[in-house]
Protein backbone atom coordinates (compact mmCIF):
# COMPACT_ATOMS: atom_id res chain seq x y z
CA UNK A 1 0.00 0.00 0.00
CA UNK A 2 1.28 3.48 -0.88
CA UNK A 3 2.26 5.78 1.99
CA UNK A 4 2.81 9.52 2.40
CA UNK A 5 5.97 11.11 3.82
CA UNK A 6 4.84 10.43 7.40
CA UNK A 7 4.55 6.72 6.75
CA UNK A 8 0.75 6.81 6.94
CA UNK A 9 -1.23 5.00 4.22
CA UNK A 10 -2.07 7.34 1.34
CA UNK A 11 -5.67 8.49 1.24
CA UNK A 12 -7.04 8.06 -2.25
CA UNK A 13 -9.61 10.36 -3.83
CA UNK A 14 -11.39 10.68 -7.15
CA UNK A 15 -9.47 13.92 -7.74
CA UNK A 16 -6.03 12.34 -7.48
CA UNK A 17 -7.25 9.65 -9.88
CA UNK A 18 -7.80 12.45 -12.38
CA UNK A 19 -11.51 13.23 -12.08
CA UNK A 20 -12.53 16.70 -10.89
CA UNK A 21 -16.13 16.60 -9.68
CA UNK A 22 -16.06 20.30 -8.81
CA UNK A 23 -15.06 21.18 -12.37
CA UNK A 24 -17.93 19.10 -13.70
CA UNK A 25 -20.40 20.84 -11.41
CA UNK A 26 -19.03 24.22 -12.43
CA UNK A 27 -19.51 23.32 -16.10
CA UNK A 28 -23.15 22.36 -15.51
CA UNK A 29 -23.75 25.74 -13.85
CA UNK A 30 -22.00 27.56 -16.69
CA UNK A 31 -23.92 25.87 -19.50
CA UNK A 32 -27.33 26.15 -17.82
CA UNK A 33 -28.07 29.51 -19.49
CA UNK A 34 -27.00 28.09 -22.85
CA UNK A 35 -29.55 25.30 -22.55
CA UNK A 36 -32.19 27.75 -21.31
CA UNK A 37 -31.68 29.83 -24.45
CA UNK A 38 -32.91 26.90 -26.57
CA UNK A 39 -36.26 26.53 -24.76
CA UNK A 40 -39.27 25.93 -27.00
CA UNK A 41 -42.92 24.91 -26.48
CA UNK A 42 -42.88 21.51 -24.83
CA UNK A 43 -39.54 21.89 -23.05
CA UNK A 44 -38.37 24.13 -20.23
CA UNK A 45 -34.69 23.31 -20.92
CA UNK A 46 -33.62 23.23 -17.25
CA UNK A 47 -30.54 21.13 -16.52
CA UNK A 48 -29.51 19.21 -13.43
CA UNK A 49 -32.07 16.44 -13.13
CA UNK A 50 -31.66 12.81 -14.08
CA UNK A 51 -33.52 13.36 -17.32
CA UNK A 52 -35.40 15.93 -19.33
CA UNK A 53 -39.14 16.13 -19.94
CA UNK A 54 -40.85 17.04 -23.19
CA UNK A 55 -44.58 17.53 -23.75
CA UNK A 56 -45.59 16.81 -27.39
CA UNK A 57 -49.05 18.30 -26.85
CA UNK A 58 -47.52 21.59 -25.76
CA UNK A 59 -45.53 21.46 -28.99
CA UNK A 60 -48.79 21.32 -30.93
CA UNK A 61 -48.94 17.62 -31.84
CA UNK A 62 -52.18 15.62 -31.73
CA UNK A 63 -51.14 12.09 -32.74
CA UNK A 64 -47.37 12.18 -33.18
CA UNK A 65 -44.96 9.46 -34.19
CA UNK A 66 -41.60 9.90 -32.48
CA UNK A 67 -38.44 9.62 -34.56
CA UNK A 68 -35.05 9.26 -32.88
CA UNK A 69 -31.52 9.52 -34.19
CA UNK A 70 -27.98 9.79 -32.92
CA UNK A 71 -24.68 10.69 -34.56
CA UNK A 72 -21.25 12.22 -34.10
CA UNK A 73 -19.03 14.41 -36.23
CA UNK A 74 -16.22 11.95 -36.93
CA UNK A 75 -12.63 13.10 -37.19
CA UNK A 76 -13.68 16.70 -37.84
CA UNK A 77 -13.46 16.85 -34.03
CA UNK A 78 -9.72 16.29 -34.31
CA UNK A 79 -9.43 19.17 -36.76
CA UNK A 80 -11.24 21.42 -34.27
CA UNK A 81 -8.95 20.27 -31.44
CA UNK A 82 -5.71 20.67 -33.38
CA UNK A 83 -6.56 24.20 -34.53
CA UNK A 84 -8.45 25.54 -31.47
CA UNK A 85 -11.73 25.81 -33.40
CA UNK A 86 -14.17 24.58 -30.77
CA UNK A 87 -16.92 27.16 -31.24
CA UNK A 88 -18.85 25.66 -34.16
CA UNK A 89 -18.18 21.92 -33.92
CA UNK A 90 -21.36 21.69 -31.81
CA UNK A 91 -23.38 22.98 -34.76
CA UNK A 92 -22.04 20.03 -36.77
CA UNK A 93 -23.15 17.66 -34.02
CA UNK A 94 -26.69 18.99 -34.03
CA UNK A 95 -26.82 19.18 -37.83
CA UNK A 96 -25.87 15.56 -38.33
CA UNK A 97 -28.76 14.49 -36.11
CA UNK A 98 -31.51 16.95 -37.06
CA UNK A 99 -30.91 16.68 -40.81
CA UNK A 100 -31.46 12.94 -40.42
CA UNK A 101 -34.82 13.62 -38.76
CA UNK A 102 -36.19 16.12 -41.27
CA UNK A 103 -35.62 13.63 -44.11
CA UNK A 104 -38.19 11.42 -42.38
CA UNK A 105 -40.61 14.32 -42.15
CA UNK A 106 -39.95 14.87 -38.45
CA UNK A 107 -39.52 18.17 -36.65
CA UNK A 108 -36.60 17.95 -34.18
CA UNK A 109 -37.97 18.53 -30.68
CA UNK A 110 -35.17 17.96 -28.21
CA UNK A 111 -31.46 17.19 -28.16
CA UNK A 112 -29.01 15.66 -25.71
CA UNK A 113 -25.23 15.69 -26.02
CA UNK A 114 -22.38 13.52 -24.80
CA UNK A 115 -18.99 15.17 -24.24
CA UNK A 116 -16.13 12.86 -23.24
CA UNK A 117 -12.56 13.86 -22.43
CA UNK A 118 -9.53 12.79 -20.41
CA UNK A 119 -9.35 15.93 -18.28
CA UNK A 120 -12.11 18.52 -18.28
CA UNK A 121 -11.14 21.94 -19.61
CA UNK A 122 -14.18 24.04 -18.83
CA UNK A 123 -13.18 26.75 -21.28
CA UNK A 124 -13.15 24.32 -24.18
CA UNK A 125 -16.24 22.47 -22.99
CA UNK A 126 -18.25 25.69 -22.68
CA UNK A 127 -17.27 26.70 -26.23
CA UNK A 128 -18.36 23.33 -27.56
CA UNK A 129 -21.69 23.38 -25.71
CA UNK A 130 -22.30 26.97 -26.83
CA UNK A 131 -22.00 25.66 -30.40
CA UNK A 132 -24.46 22.88 -29.61
CA UNK A 133 -26.91 25.47 -28.28
CA UNK A 134 -26.44 27.53 -31.45
CA UNK A 135 -27.20 24.45 -33.54
CA UNK A 136 -30.32 23.71 -31.52
CA UNK A 137 -31.58 27.26 -32.06
CA UNK A 138 -30.93 26.96 -35.81
CA UNK A 139 -32.92 23.71 -35.83
CA UNK A 140 -35.66 24.90 -33.47
CA UNK A 141 -35.10 22.12 -30.92
CA UNK A 142 -34.42 22.32 -27.19
CA UNK A 143 -31.19 21.24 -25.53
CA UNK A 144 -32.68 19.45 -22.52
CA UNK A 145 -29.69 17.57 -21.13
CA UNK A 146 -26.56 15.59 -21.76
CA UNK A 147 -23.56 13.93 -20.20
CA UNK A 148 -20.05 15.18 -19.55
CA UNK A 149 -17.63 12.31 -18.95
CA UNK A 150 -14.13 12.84 -17.57
CA UNK A 151 -12.17 9.64 -18.20
CA UNK A 152 -8.44 9.80 -17.44
CA UNK A 153 -6.38 7.46 -19.57
CA UNK A 154 -8.98 7.16 -22.32
CA UNK A 155 -8.05 10.28 -24.28
CA UNK A 156 -4.79 12.05 -25.07
CA UNK A 157 -4.24 15.46 -23.47
CA UNK A 158 -6.62 18.01 -24.98
CA UNK A 159 -8.67 15.44 -26.90
CA UNK A 160 -12.40 14.99 -26.60
CA UNK A 161 -15.21 13.28 -28.47
CA UNK A 162 -18.81 14.18 -29.09
CA UNK A 163 -22.06 12.34 -29.69
CA UNK A 164 -25.56 13.68 -30.04
CA UNK A 165 -29.05 12.23 -29.65
CA UNK A 166 -32.18 13.88 -30.98
CA UNK A 167 -35.88 13.08 -30.90
CA UNK A 168 -38.38 14.51 -33.34
CA UNK A 169 -42.06 14.12 -34.11
CA UNK A 170 -44.28 13.90 -37.14
CA UNK A 171 -48.06 13.63 -37.22
CA UNK A 172 -49.17 10.11 -38.04
CA UNK A 173 -49.61 9.74 -41.80
CA UNK A 174 -47.31 12.64 -42.69
CA UNK A 175 -43.98 10.82 -42.35
CA UNK A 176 -41.65 10.57 -45.35
CA UNK A 177 -40.81 6.96 -46.16
CA UNK A 178 -40.00 7.18 -49.87
CA UNK A 179 -43.21 5.40 -50.89
CA UNK A 180 -44.42 8.53 -52.70
CA UNK A 181 -41.41 8.69 -55.02
CA UNK A 182 -42.40 7.87 -58.60
CA UNK A 183 -40.93 7.68 -62.06
CA UNK A 184 -40.57 11.19 -63.45
CA UNK A 185 -39.94 12.85 -60.10
CA UNK A 186 -37.37 15.61 -60.33
CA UNK A 187 -34.33 15.72 -58.04
CA UNK A 188 -33.44 19.08 -56.52
CA UNK A 189 -30.16 19.60 -54.71
CA UNK A 190 -29.59 22.10 -51.89
CA UNK A 191 -26.08 23.52 -51.70
CA UNK A 192 -23.86 22.40 -48.85
CA UNK A 193 -21.81 24.82 -46.76
CA UNK A 194 -18.62 22.85 -47.36
CA UNK A 195 -17.38 19.37 -46.52
CA UNK A 196 -20.01 19.14 -43.73
CA UNK A 197 -19.03 16.27 -41.38
CA UNK A 198 -18.00 13.35 -43.59
CA UNK A 199 -14.75 12.61 -45.36
CA UNK A 200 -12.45 14.21 -42.80
CA UNK A 201 -10.19 11.19 -42.44
CA UNK A 202 -9.28 11.74 -46.08
CA UNK A 203 -9.07 15.53 -45.63
CA UNK A 204 -6.72 15.15 -42.66
CA UNK A 205 -4.60 12.59 -44.51
CA UNK A 206 -4.23 15.00 -47.43
CA UNK A 207 -3.38 17.85 -45.05
CA UNK A 208 -0.61 15.79 -43.47
CA UNK A 209 0.79 14.37 -46.71
CA UNK A 210 0.65 17.64 -48.64
CA UNK A 211 1.80 19.87 -45.80
CA UNK A 212 -1.16 22.25 -45.94
CA UNK A 213 -0.72 25.51 -44.03
CA UNK A 214 -4.08 25.71 -42.32
CA UNK A 215 -3.56 29.16 -40.82
CA UNK A 216 -2.77 30.76 -44.17
CA UNK A 217 -5.11 31.87 -46.95
CA UNK A 218 -6.47 29.01 -49.05
CA UNK A 219 -4.75 28.54 -52.41
CA UNK A 220 -8.11 29.13 -54.10
CA UNK A 221 -9.14 32.16 -52.00
CA UNK A 222 -6.62 34.68 -50.69
CA UNK A 223 -9.28 36.32 -48.52
CA UNK A 224 -10.04 33.34 -46.28
CA UNK A 225 -7.95 30.90 -44.26
CA UNK A 226 -7.94 27.27 -45.33
CA UNK A 227 -8.93 26.15 -41.82
CA UNK A 228 -12.00 28.40 -42.00
CA UNK A 229 -13.14 26.58 -45.14
CA UNK A 230 -12.54 23.15 -43.63
CA UNK A 231 -14.14 23.85 -40.24
CA UNK A 232 -17.26 25.52 -41.73
CA UNK A 233 -20.20 23.90 -39.88
CA UNK A 234 -22.70 21.60 -41.54
CA UNK A 235 -25.72 23.44 -42.90
CA UNK A 236 -28.96 22.80 -40.99
CA UNK A 237 -31.88 22.49 -43.42
CA UNK A 238 -34.73 21.97 -40.95
CA UNK A 239 -36.45 25.35 -40.87
CA UNK A 240 -36.44 25.81 -44.65
CA UNK A 241 -37.71 22.31 -45.42
CA UNK A 242 -40.26 21.78 -42.64
CA UNK A 243 -43.06 23.96 -44.12
CA UNK A 244 -42.76 22.20 -47.49
CA UNK A 245 -42.73 18.77 -45.86
CA UNK A 246 -45.84 19.58 -43.82
CA UNK A 247 -47.59 20.86 -46.92
CA UNK A 248 -46.95 17.54 -48.69
CA UNK A 249 -44.92 19.16 -51.46
CA UNK A 250 -41.84 16.93 -51.08
CA UNK A 251 -41.98 13.21 -51.86
CA UNK A 252 -38.65 12.27 -50.30
CA UNK A 253 -35.48 13.76 -48.84
CA UNK A 254 -31.94 12.37 -48.69
CA UNK A 255 -29.29 13.81 -46.37
CA UNK A 256 -25.94 13.53 -48.17
CA UNK A 257 -23.51 12.19 -45.57
CA UNK A 258 -21.01 9.32 -45.61
CA UNK A 259 -21.26 7.53 -48.94
CA UNK A 260 -21.98 10.74 -50.82
CA UNK A 261 -24.68 11.15 -53.43
CA UNK A 262 -24.23 7.61 -54.69
CA UNK A 263 -25.13 5.78 -51.51
CA UNK A 264 -27.55 8.16 -49.77
CA UNK A 265 -30.10 8.90 -52.49
CA UNK A 266 -31.05 5.19 -52.98
CA UNK A 267 -31.97 4.95 -49.30
CA UNK A 268 -35.24 6.79 -50.01
CA UNK A 269 -36.17 5.01 -53.24
CA UNK A 270 -38.70 2.19 -53.66
CA UNK A 271 -37.72 -0.97 -55.52
CA UNK A 272 -37.65 -0.54 -59.28
CA UNK A 273 -36.64 3.11 -59.31
CA UNK A 274 -33.23 4.60 -60.11
CA UNK A 275 -31.89 8.12 -59.52
CA UNK A 276 -29.95 9.70 -62.35
CA UNK A 277 -27.85 12.71 -61.35
CA UNK A 278 -25.87 14.97 -63.68
CA UNK A 279 -22.63 16.31 -62.20
CA UNK A 280 -22.86 19.09 -64.80
CA UNK A 281 -26.05 20.46 -63.22
CA UNK A 282 -24.24 22.54 -60.57
CA UNK A 283 -20.82 24.23 -60.39
CA UNK A 284 -18.10 22.38 -58.53
CA UNK A 285 -17.10 24.53 -55.57
CA UNK A 286 -13.55 25.80 -55.30
CA UNK A 287 -13.11 23.81 -52.09
CA UNK A 288 -14.21 20.54 -53.69
CA UNK A 289 -12.03 21.22 -56.74
CA UNK A 290 -9.09 21.87 -54.40
CA UNK A 291 -9.62 18.60 -52.52
CA UNK A 292 -9.95 16.67 -55.75
CA UNK A 293 -6.82 18.20 -57.27
CA UNK A 294 -4.74 17.78 -54.10
CA UNK A 295 -5.63 14.11 -53.85
CA UNK A 296 -5.81 13.36 -57.58
CA UNK A 297 -9.22 11.90 -56.73
CA UNK A 298 -11.22 10.26 -59.51
CA UNK A 299 -14.71 11.69 -60.08
CA UNK A 300 -16.29 8.37 -59.15
CA UNK A 301 -14.48 8.44 -55.80
CA UNK A 302 -15.60 12.03 -55.19
CA UNK A 303 -19.23 10.98 -55.70
CA UNK A 304 -19.03 8.35 -52.97
CA UNK A 305 -16.78 10.18 -50.50
CA UNK A 306 -17.84 13.84 -50.32
CA UNK A 307 -21.16 15.65 -50.67
CA UNK A 308 -19.62 17.41 -53.70
CA UNK A 309 -21.48 20.61 -52.95
CA UNK A 310 -24.96 19.11 -52.39
CA UNK A 311 -26.01 18.62 -48.77
CA UNK A 312 -29.63 17.59 -49.28
CA UNK A 313 -31.53 16.04 -52.19
CA UNK A 314 -35.29 16.42 -52.68
CA UNK A 315 -37.55 14.27 -54.86
CA UNK A 316 -40.53 16.35 -56.02
CA UNK A 317 -43.29 15.97 -58.58
CA UNK A 318 -42.68 17.88 -61.83
CA UNK A 319 -45.51 20.32 -61.16
CA UNK A 320 -43.95 21.27 -57.81
CA UNK A 321 -40.44 22.02 -59.10
CA UNK A 322 -40.89 25.73 -59.83
CA UNK A 323 -42.80 26.52 -56.65
CA UNK A 324 -40.56 24.51 -54.33
CA UNK A 325 -37.46 26.04 -55.90
CA UNK A 326 -38.86 29.54 -55.53
CA UNK A 327 -39.85 29.04 -51.89
CA UNK A 328 -36.53 27.50 -50.92
CA UNK A 329 -34.59 30.28 -52.62
CA UNK A 330 -36.71 32.85 -50.79
CA UNK A 331 -35.81 31.06 -47.54
CA UNK A 332 -32.08 31.39 -48.29
CA UNK A 333 -31.25 28.05 -49.92
CA UNK A 334 -29.26 27.64 -53.14
CA UNK A 335 -31.22 25.17 -55.27
CA UNK A 336 -30.16 23.18 -58.33
CA UNK A 337 -32.15 20.80 -60.52
CA UNK A 338 -29.72 17.91 -60.55
CA UNK A 339 -31.53 14.85 -61.95
CA UNK A 340 -34.60 12.68 -62.16
CA UNK A 341 -36.12 9.36 -61.12
CA UNK A 342 -36.43 6.68 -63.79
CA UNK A 343 -37.32 3.00 -63.86
CA UNK A 344 -34.42 0.70 -63.13
CA UNK A 345 -32.64 -1.20 -60.37
CA UNK A 346 -32.96 0.59 -57.03
CA UNK A 347 -29.88 2.78 -56.90
CA UNK A 348 -28.17 5.93 -58.12
CA UNK A 349 -25.96 6.94 -61.03
CA UNK A 350 -23.90 10.13 -61.08
CA UNK A 351 -22.53 11.01 -64.51
CA UNK A 352 -20.49 13.83 -65.99
CA UNK A 353 -19.31 15.08 -69.35
CA UNK A 354 -15.63 15.43 -70.31
CA UNK A 355 -14.16 18.17 -68.13
CA UNK A 356 -16.75 17.78 -65.41
CA UNK A 357 -15.01 17.34 -62.04
CA UNK A 358 -11.68 17.45 -63.94
CA UNK A 359 -12.47 14.27 -65.89
CA UNK A 360 -10.61 13.76 -69.16
CA UNK A 361 -13.53 11.81 -70.64
CA UNK A 362 -17.21 11.24 -69.99
CA UNK A 363 -17.69 9.27 -66.78
CA UNK A 364 -20.31 7.73 -64.53
CA UNK A 365 -20.52 6.01 -61.18
CA UNK A 366 -23.35 3.71 -60.11
CA UNK A 367 -24.43 2.27 -56.78
CA UNK A 368 -27.28 -0.20 -56.45
CA UNK A 369 -28.96 -0.72 -53.12
Amino acid sequence: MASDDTGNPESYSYANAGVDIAAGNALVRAIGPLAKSTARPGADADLGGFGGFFDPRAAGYKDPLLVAGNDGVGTKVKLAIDHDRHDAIGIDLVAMCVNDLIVQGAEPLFFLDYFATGKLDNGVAERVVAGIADGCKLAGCALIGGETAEMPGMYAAGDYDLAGFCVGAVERGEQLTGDRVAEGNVLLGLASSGVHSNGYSLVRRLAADKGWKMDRPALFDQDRLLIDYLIEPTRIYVKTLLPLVRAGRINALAHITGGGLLENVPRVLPEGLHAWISADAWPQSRLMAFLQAQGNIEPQEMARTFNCGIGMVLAVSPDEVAGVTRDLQAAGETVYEIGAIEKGPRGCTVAGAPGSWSARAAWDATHTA
Side-chain angles (χ1 to χ4, degrees):
M1 180 179 292
S3 301
D4 60 20
D5 292 339
T6 65
N8 294 321
E10 181 181 355
S11 177
Y12 283 80
S13 70
Y14 216 5
N16 65 28
V19 178
D20 190 339
I21 295 175
N25 291 336
L27 177 62
V28 171
R29 290 193 296 272
I31 65 178
L34 296 173
K36 193 70 175 176
S37 72
T38 70
R40 53 151 295 155
D44 59 17
D46 281 335
L47 298 184
F50 289 98
F53 289 98
F54 192 93
D55 182 356
R57 287 191 178 182
Y61 287 90
K62 297 178 177 64
D63 186 18
L65 295 175
L66 296 182
V67 186
N70 70 310
D71 212 336
V73 294
T75 57
K76 190 174 186 178
V77 167
K78 187 61 174 169
L79 197 69
I81 292 167
D82 289 346
H83 299 278
D84 191 30
R85 298 300 182 104
H86 309 287
D87 302 273
I89 198 71
I91 297 177
D92 286 289
L93 183 66
V94 175
M96 295 303 289
C97 293
V98 299
N99 285 342
D100 277 353
L101 295 188
I102 189 63
V103 300
Q104 296 172 92
E107 175 193 13
L109 299 178
F110 60 87
F111 189 89
L112 300 100
D113 68 280
Y114 174 76
F115 179 99
T117 188
K119 181 169 179 56
L120 194 58
D121 180 332
N122 279 358
V124 169
E126 284 182 46
R127 291 166 66 188
V128 172
V129 176
I132 294 172
D134 287 342
C136 286
K137 286 183 277 190
L138 288 169
C141 63
L143 176 60
I144 66 169
E147 167 70 1
T148 301
E150 193 173 28
M151 299 187 288
M154 285 287 289
Y155 296 89
D159 280 357
Y160 60 83
D161 198 11
L162 295 172
F165 175 80
C166 194
V167 171
V170 56
E171 291 289 5
R172 190 179 304 274
E174 295 181 4
Q175 63 269 30
L176 293 180
T177 63
D179 60 348
R180 289 159 46 191
V181 179
E183 181 184 7
N185 275 188
V186 175
L187 296 177
L188 300 179
L190 304 187
S192 64
S193 56
V195 182
H196 281 187
S197 295
N198 296 98
Y200 277 89
S201 293
L202 177 54
V203 169
R204 292 175 56 250
R205 175 67 181 272
L206 284 172
D209 289 354
K210 303 296 181 180
W212 293 351
K213 305 299 183 184
M214 294 287 196
D215 57 351
R216 295 183 184 175
L219 292 176
F220 51 89
D221 183 357
Q222 290 300 300
D223 294 327
R224 194 178 187 202
L225 301 181
L226 179 57
I227 185 61
D228 290 334
Y229 270 98
L230 295 177
I231 210 69
E232 183 73 27
T234 305
R235 187 166 180 82
I236 292 175
Y237 299 97
V238 171
K239 288 187 177 179
T240 53
L241 288 173
L242 192 58
L244 299 174
V245 169
R246 285 177 166 168
R249 299 169 64 190
I250 296 174
N251 295 335
L253 290 167
H255 183 200
I256 309 306
T257 55
L261 290 160
L262 275 182
E263 295 187 13
N264 284 288
V265 175
R267 295 167 66 178
V268 299
L269 300 182
E271 289 294 336
L273 293 181
H274 195 89
W276 289 88
I277 295 175
S278 170
D280 303 293
W282 71 97
Q284 187 181 37
S285 71
R286 293 180 295 176
L287 174 58
M288 290 296 164
F290 169 76
L291 294 173
Q292 184 178 13
Q294 289 283 298
N296 192 30
I297 303 171
E298 294 294 334
Q300 295 89 337
E301 183 68 16
M302 290 291 293
R304 63 170 48 92
T305 301
F306 296 114
N307 63 55
C308 296
I310 301 295
M312 187 73 72
V313 173
L314 295 65
V316 300
S317 301
D319 60 348
E320 288 281 8
V321 171
V324 167
T325 299
R326 181 182 61 249
D327 289 351
L328 286 171
Q329 288 173 337
E333 300 290 354
T334 301
V335 187
Y336 303 102
E337 186 173 327
I338 64 172
I341 301 296
E342 300 180 7
K343 287 184 178 179
R346 181 170 175 254
C348 179
T349 296
V350 179
S356 178
W357 295 5
S358 302
R360 290 180 292 274
W363 60 275
D364 65 73
T366 298
H367 173 79
T368 53

